[in-house]
Amino acid sequence: MSSTLRDPMTPAERRAGISLASIFALRMLGLFLILPVFAVHAHTVPGGDNLTLVGLAIGAYGATQACLQIAFGAASDRFGRKPVILFGLLLFVIGSAVAATAGDIYVIIAGRVLQGAGAISAAVTALAADLTRDQHRTKVMAMIGSSIGLVFAGSMVAAPLLYSVIGMSGIFWLTAALALVAMAVVVWVVPEAPPVPRANAGSFADILRDAQLMRLNFGVFALHLIQTTMWVMVPAALVKSGGLALVDHWKVYLPAVLLSFVAMVPAVIVAERHNRLKQVFNGAVLLLAVVQFGLYLWNDSLFAIALWLTLFFVAFNILEATQPSWISRIAPPAAKGTALGVYNTLQSIGLFVGGLLGGWLGQRFGTAGVSLACGALALVWLTLSSTMNPPPVRAVAAPARS
């Protein structure tokens, strides 16, 4: 088994990983570029002085994502991955165009709703699983997760500059152009997927009854709830305790993300090559809890906050790579897209609830209360994950011709 597990990725697997990661990156770059500047820009459009509407414009994307991830994942099981991905990207292009031409906050909200309606994450992740063997799947998921982290860090640097040059309308048009490029990648670069077995009527119920899948779904909910809750307090902490102006926060985020990738690579190699997925996974959940309690005990300097953020991104990137890989191994082959749709739905709900919970906890109990609550949630997750056992990696040899 060990020799097969050490088989290198085939050219087709490498192409699948790089091209699918680029699709995520192109789409997410367009979204992330909006976040650092939209709240400021909103004051220049009619209705933008209403903070509730501004928050709705930012969050509308996540709301429609949460509502439609399962539908898009199930559709990819039935109609094929690529057609569903292309349709979702087309919706994203239309939504970006609507927002770019909007004359008030209400039309921007409508555009953001349409952007979110292209909920392709489950279909893209399922396609990555279709195109890779078990022993390389975590690596491909890590490539996808890393691409998201890199464009997030890059957008923090690029967004203010782009806004000063092309404005908010130009950024929305840029998001549309990036999605069109992603469509071209789907058509001409991503390898053709094998046929998907036809799903049966009981697949969705089977997924909801599967204890391991539901624990993994709880895990992605907890991970993204913690991520969003943290970002309610981290920017203020960097200003207050770290003495770092808002415009300079990228100087912490970018090194933290890059260093976390360096630490993630050996962890993914150990998980894949040595069949240590459970140990690596649980270690990352434990590190997540350590970060939260660390932020509670020591957060009064720029060095301390930067340290905890770096360790957070290490845990986050490992979990982002290993969770979908784990799901793809245990989900029924005919319902892989549906299973990943449920997973991505819980991810979106975690992002939404995290924002609400972080604001409420911060208002009532301060940053200490936020950190303690997130640490407690991470320990609950660790308790659940410690009872899970991933199936062994199936040592599948590379095809004779790729």
Side-chain angles (χ1 to χ4, degrees), residues 35-386:
L35 296 180
V37 294
F38 182 76
V40 175
H41 168 78
H43 293 292
T44 68
V45 300
D49 54 347
N50 186 323
L51 289 180
T52 300
L53 293 178
V54 174
L56 182 58
I58 294 173
Y61 172 86
T64 46
Q65 285 275 299
C67 293
L68 293 173
Q69 285 288 358
I70 295 175
F72 269 70
S76 76
D77 287 333
R78 185 171 182 83
F79 302 112
R81 313 293 187 210
K82 281 193 173 184
V84 170
I85 294 170
L86 289 170
F87 177 67
L89 287 170
L90 179 60
L91 287 177
F92 187 87
V93 171
I94 295 171
S96 300
V98 169
T101 56
D104 58 46
I105 192 71
Y106 299 99
V107 180
I108 293 176
I109 291 170
R112 294 283 288 166
V113 167
L114 280 171
Q115 283 184 322
I120 63 170
S121 297
V124 173
T125 310
L127 181 55
D130 294 339
L131 292 171
T132 53
R133 293 168 289 159
D134 274 6
Q135 61 261 40
H136 297 301
R137 192 161 299 146
T138 303
K139 194 182 302 176
V140 170
M141 298 302 177
M143 292 167 67
I144 292 173
S146 298
S147 72
I148 297 172
L150 282 172
V151 298
F152 172 76
S155 67
M156 297 297 106
V157 180
L161 176 61
L162 283 171
Y163 181 71
S164 67
V165 175
I166 61 176
M168 198 72 238
S169 177
I171 290 179
F172 276 122
W173 282 121
L174 179 60
T175 67
L178 291 172
L180 288 173
V181 173
M183 293 177 72
V185 172
V186 173
V187 174
W188 288 299
V189 181
V190 176
E192 289 301 316
V196 179
R198 183 57 59 92
N200 58 64
S203 295
F204 185 68
D206 292 341
I207 288 166
L208 294 182
R209 285 194 294 262
D210 189 295
Q212 282 214 85
L213 285 175
M214 293 314 293
R215 285 186 208 130
L216 287 165
N217 291 331
F218 173 83
V220 76
F221 167 81
L223 178 62
H224 286 269
L225 183 151
I226 291 171
Q227 178 202 23
T228 311
T229 301
M230 279 181 62
W231 252 256
V232 173
M233 67 168 192
V234 164
L238 284 172
V239 172
K240 182 179 178 181
S241 300
L244 197 65
L246 184 63
V247 70
D248 293 324
H249 285 193
W250 67 269
K251 296 178 181 178
V252 173
Y253 297 150
L254 184 59
V257 170
L258 295 177
L259 287 172
S260 73
F261 292 151
V262 174
M264 177 190 70
V265 170
V268 169
I269 291 174
V270 169
E272 271 190 350
R273 188 167 293 178
H274 301 287
N275 257 329
R276 294 289 186 269
L277 178 58
K278 179 176 180 177
Q279 292 87 338
V280 170
F281 185 89
N282 286 337
V285 178
L286 176 61
L287 179 59
L288 192 66
V290 169
V291 167
Q292 302 310 312
F293 293 119
L295 283 169
Y296 171 73
L297 294 170
W298 184 33
N299 64 358
D300 57 355
S301 69
L302 181 60
F303 174 80
I305 299 171
L307 171 65
W308 297 127
L309 279 179
T310 301
L311 294 177
F312 167 78
F313 280 120
V314 171
F316 181 85
N317 288 330
I318 291 172
L319 292 166
E320 279 286 273
T322 52
Q323 284 191 111
S325 174
W326 196 331
I327 283 184
S328 70
R329 292 184 195 176
I330 62 179
K336 198 176 294 179
T338 305
L340 288 163
V342 175
Y343 171 86
N344 281 284
T345 297
L346 268 294
Q347 180 187 73
S348 297
I349 293 173
L351 289 168
F352 177 70
V353 174
L356 293 178
L357 184 64
W360 182 80
L361 286 171
Q363 184 71 30
R364 298 199 55 157
F365 305 105
T367 57
V370 173
S371 297
L372 283 178
C374 289
L377 181 60
L379 290 179
V380 172
W381 182 11
L382 181 61
T383 302
L384 292 173
S385 67
S386 65

Side-chain angles (χ1 to χ4, degrees), residues 2-9 13 133 135-136 139 396-398:
S2 61
S3 62
T4 308
L5 286 177
R6 291 176 185 271
D7 281 347
M9 296 176 73
E13 286 176 319
R133 293 168 289 159
Q135 61 261 40
H136 297 301
K139 194 182 302 176
V396 180

